[in-house]
Amino acid sequence: MRCSGSVAALAAVLALTGCGGHRAPEALATASAGRAPDPAALAVLRSGAEDLDVEIRMKSLACLIRSDAEPAGGSWSPRALLDPSPYVQRAALEALAARIDEPAARAAVANTARRVGVDPYTRGLAGGILADAGEREASLSEAWRAAIAPWQAAPLALAAARMGDPEAAAAVGRALVEAEFPLEVPFFLSIGHSGLPELAPALRAAAGAVEEDLVLPLAVALLGLGAPEGEALLRQALAGPEEQRMEALDYLADLDGDAARRLVRGALAGGGPAARYARLVRVGWGEAPPQDALDTASDPDRELRALAVRALGRARHARPGRADGRVRAALAAALGDPEPLVRLEAIRALSLTGRPEDRGLLRPLLTPEGGRVDLISVETATALLCPGPS
């Protein structure tokens, strides 16, 4: 399951949260929300920005960019955009996307889109953000034409196609037919939100040739382009081995629309952990009462517990109701779970509301075990400084 917390998975989740549309968070920056920055949370993130662990560094710098009162996150943006890790650079771009109305943020994204030597998938993400903002960047058209390999040209051409380059979509299609891609899940997800249905035939052609780990992202892309083959591929995955069913539900949980709902309802009949996960997805969507998730929050399986906590947080954020007291109690209990994975989901769930009483539950987790920042303390600091969906 993608909730394991690996760096590659986290990068995919960053793209999923934007889904190509780069949704602005509900609470963009601490300064704009009228609150003074929490000094302890700020100290954790500043320390995390120096950490050698890429996941800690990327999360810390992303929140610092989002929450800093200076335009485009002040000095944190160039620092993150020049980081040696492409994952850190992409997290910085997603943070800047939330501030894209600021001229300085737009300029920083444009500079990354045109910077030679930057990883092409990072440049492609920058180009996608600019395209969402109605901007054009001619250097991307030049870059995809100059790329040596099709897989390097593809993300640059996708951004250029969205900006109106009449030849770029065909270049993306040729690269897809080649079917030789690195494991860049966000790229396939961004195709699904590109608004370029002419890419569907190439996606269909690639479906039988790409690496197994890319089949589901490709199916989601087809679904996003309105191609029925996307739903068929996801239904096939939901009829497969248990691990494949769980992974398909990982993607479906972040989607919207009738096809996703049909597929999740169909997964209810299969039994096993995947059927339980499907019920949790429906809780998170607000389509089912929270009782299933409340029961699963104490399950012996750590990943099911984490998924239950995630569903409770989403449901509580989207549709707070009469069960909120029980849901909040379950989330508070999950903060003390022995598994870090569950604690991380509880922190994220409690961050979604930005309520003062929930912030009070989180603050004790700012102090890292052993004195060195870790994912728990950084996630907590992010919840306090950058509340809401990110």
Side-chain angles (χ1 to χ4, degrees):
M1 268 183 283
R2 293 206 321 278
C3 57
S4 61
S6 69
V7 171
L10 188 55
V13 170
L14 281 168
L16 271 167
T17 56
C19 290
H22 305 286
R23 296 175 298 187
E26 293 183 359
L28 202 175
T30 304
S32 64
R35 287 193 303 267
D38 186 305
L42 199 56
V44 167
L45 293 183
R46 284 174 170 165
S47 180
E50 305 274 358
D51 204 273
L52 294 178
D53 185 294
V54 170
E55 195 169 353
I56 288 176
R57 201 163 70 249
M58 67 187 279
K59 291 185 72 68
S60 298
L61 284 165
C63 182
L64 287 165
I65 291 168
R66 283 162 49 93
S67 63
D68 196 280
E70 293 295 318
S75 63
W76 299 113
S77 291
R79 180 169 172 176
L81 291 171
L82 294 173
D83 191 277
S85 167
Y87 294 116
V88 176
Q89 295 169 23
R90 294 175 203 175
L93 288 169
E94 291 284 358
L96 287 166
R99 306 183 67 150
I100 200 65
D101 288 339
E102 298 176 14
R106 197 169 296 211
V109 174
N111 286 338
T112 303
R114 67 174 70 103
R115 204 167 82 228
V116 177
V118 173
D119 168 79
Y121 290 88
T122 305
R123 287 184 74 181
L125 172 61
I129 293 169
L130 292 174
D132 286 336
E135 297 284 342
R136 296 197 174 195
E137 177 51 58
S139 66
L140 290 168
S141 290
E142 299 167 8
W144 75 254
R145 287 177 171 85
I148 297 172
W151 64 265
Q152 293 171 318
L156 305 168
L158 180 64
R162 294 188 60 212
M163 292 175 175
D165 183 330
E167 299 175 355
V172 179
R174 288 194 297 272
L176 289 169
V177 172
E178 292 263 340
E180 292 185 6
F181 279 88
L183 192 59
E184 290 289 350
V185 170
F187 168 69
F188 284 87
L189 299 176
S190 65
I191 292 176
H193 294 270
S194 67
L196 298 171
E198 61 267 36
L199 293 177
L203 284 170
R204 285 194 290 267
V210 295
E211 288 185 49
E212 184 179 350
D213 287 340
L214 288 175
V215 172
L216 283 172
L218 187 148
V220 173
L222 281 166
L223 199 66
L225 295 178
E229 292 85 355
E231 186 171 352
L233 283 170
L234 285 159
R235 187 177 292 109
Q236 181 180 331
L238 290 169
E242 195 70 17
E243 184 176 352
Q244 191 177 54
R245 295 174 67 203
M246 297 291 279
E247 188 177 0
L249 287 164
D250 270 347
Y251 286 102
L252 289 168
D254 288 299
L255 298 181
D256 195 8
D258 293 340
R261 282 164 171 72
R262 280 195 302 272
L263 288 163
V264 170
R265 283 196 299 270
L268 293 171
R276 298 180 69 186
Y277 188 7
R279 287 194 288 272
L280 295 175
V281 170
R282 297 188 76 240
V283 170
W285 284 345
E287 292 193 345
Q291 192 58 52
D292 275 334
L294 287 167
D295 294 341
T296 308
S298 57
D299 195 272
D301 186 315
R302 72 183 186 111
E303 293 200 354
L304 279 173
R305 290 202 309 278
L307 293 168
V309 168
R310 183 190 302 175
L312 289 171
R314 289 181 175 185
R316 182 176 182 238
H317 171 64
R319 292 179 176 84
R322 287 180 295 177
D324 186 67
R326 289 187 299 145
V327 171
R328 184 172 183 271
L331 296 178
L335 291 175
D337 195 278
E339 290 291 341
L341 177 64
V342 180
R343 298 202 299 276
L344 286 168
E345 290 293 352
I347 293 165
R348 292 168 190 149
L350 286 164
S351 79
L352 290 173
T353 65
R355 298 175 187 173
E357 61 269 28
D358 293 343
R359 294 168 62 84
L361 288 173
L362 294 171
R363 194 162 279 107
L365 278 71
L366 277 174
T367 304
E369 296 180 9
R372 181 177 176 271
V373 294
D374 55 14
L375 278 176
I376 296 293
S377 57
V378 167
E379 194 73 52
T380 304
T382 297
L384 292 170
L385 280 180
C386 304
S390 59

